[in-house]
């Protein structure tokens, strides 16, 4: 296969992947079900997810969840509601939770005004040999 044909095929596949996924992002999510779920191949962290929904009355429901593996000892997570101001994400408010059980979660509500919002959830799980951490983001929701 020539280099030109290979590049054309690769660009075609990339375009197909790009075009097939943005529909859900453009509509705005209204469910409180986890929308950003990460399956992680770590030693201490099994799963992390976060979501955001905003009701017709402007009540934002923020959800964050972390599940540890049996090797994990303690969990900390922090979910931050963020608003987009002219392309820059600014923190509105945040909540945190910690646990030594198999999982920890945050489920909170907050009254918002019109704008575009997302949730940033940071998670940290410690174990005997150290720790693992990361950040997941919800889909953006415009109210």
């Amino acid at each position: 296969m020539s280099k030109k044909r290979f590049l054309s095929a690769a660009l075609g596949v990339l375009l197909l992947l790009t075009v097939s996924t943005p529909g859900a992002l453009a509509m705005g999510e209204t469910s409180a079900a986890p929308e950003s779920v990460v399956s992680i191949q770590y030693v201490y962290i099994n799963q992390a997810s976060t979501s955001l929904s905003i009701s017709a009355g402007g009540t934002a429901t923020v959800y964050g969840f972390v599940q540890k593996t049996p090797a994990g000892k303690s969990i900390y997570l922090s979910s931050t509601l963020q608003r987009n101001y002219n392309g820059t994400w600014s923190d509105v408010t945040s909540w945190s939770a910690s646990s030594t059980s198999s999982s920890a979660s945050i489920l909170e509500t907050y009254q918002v005004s019109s704008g575009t919002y997302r949730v940033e959830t940071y998670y940290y799980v410690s174990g005997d040999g150290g720790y693992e951490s990361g950040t997941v983001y919800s889909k953006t929701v415009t109210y």
Side-chain angles (χ1 to χ4, degrees), residues 99-121:
S99 176
T100 55
S101 67
S102 63
S103 64
S105 63
I106 292 170
L107 181 59
E108 296 287 346
T109 59
Y110 188 84
Q111 196 66 31
V112 297
S113 57
S114 61
T116 300
Y117 296 87
R118 74 177 183 187
V119 175
E120 176 188 75
T121 295

Side-chain angles (χ1 to χ4, degrees), residues 68-84:
K68 69 178 183 63
T69 66
K73 299 297 181 190
S74 64
I75 303 169
Y76 170 82
L77 76 152
S78 173
S79 291
T80 303
L81 178 64
Q82 297 180 326
R83 182 177 181 182
N84 191 299

Side-chain angles (χ1 to χ4, degrees), residues 5-61:
R5 288 179 85 186
F6 175 77
L7 288 175
S8 294
L11 286 173
V13 169
L14 182 60
L15 180 62
L16 181 63
L17 290 172
T18 304
V19 171
S20 65
T21 55
L25 295 174
M27 293 173 23
E29 184 65 34
T30 58
S31 160
E35 52 198 41
S36 177
V37 177
V38 178
S39 249
I40 303 164
Q41 301 300 315
Y42 287 142
V43 174
Y44 305 128
I45 300 168
N46 189 40
Q47 183 186 103
S49 63
T50 194
S51 68
L52 171 66
S53 64
I54 303 177
S55 72
T59 300
T61 300

